[in-house]
Amino acid sequence: MTARLAAVVLLAVPFVWLGMVLAISFLETPLKFRAPGITLPLGLGIGRLVFRALNAAELLLAAALTLAVLTSTAGRSTIAGVPTTVLIGLWALLVVQVAVLRPRLDRRAHQIIGGQVPPRSRLHLAYIAAECAKVILLPTLGIVVALRLEP
């Protein structure tokens, strides 16, 4: 990856990723359950598919950002520091969501879809908290990168 392409990725990807999180987590998800004819099991089934796709896209975007940070810092330190720290935070949130929270939420959704009533859980609140943290970290990354880019 060239330095110029790395700069474009570092500037654009955080905002693309932010748009995806806002559109899916904070717009599509709550509205889905208000649509006529959508039952809880149906909404959960759709949600499982949508969040699996979102997380796959997020993993690709995080990998692209990581490659861009590594490329942009090779031989110089103009992007190192805050962007690297923010990226590590984004990776941590994503890993927790994909490897810890979503599998548990999927099991819970399967129970509900199957007609069971699982005990109350705060898993959704933890997932939402992670989404809120990404909504803070992603524009922070984009803005810090924009301020550090040479004209």
Side-chain angles (χ1 to χ4, degrees), residues 3 10 68-84 144-145 147-150:
L10 283 169
V69 165
L70 293 173
T71 301
S72 70
T73 59
R76 60 178 212 248
S77 61
T78 57
I79 301 294
V82 173
T84 302
V144 168
V145 167
L147 293 173
R148 290 186 179 191
L149 289 176
E150 298 172 10

Side-chain angles (χ1 to χ4, degrees), residues 21-32:
V21 169
L22 290 172
I24 291 174
S25 296
F26 297 101
L27 186 62
E28 181 274 337
T29 298
L31 289 177
K32 165 181 56 209

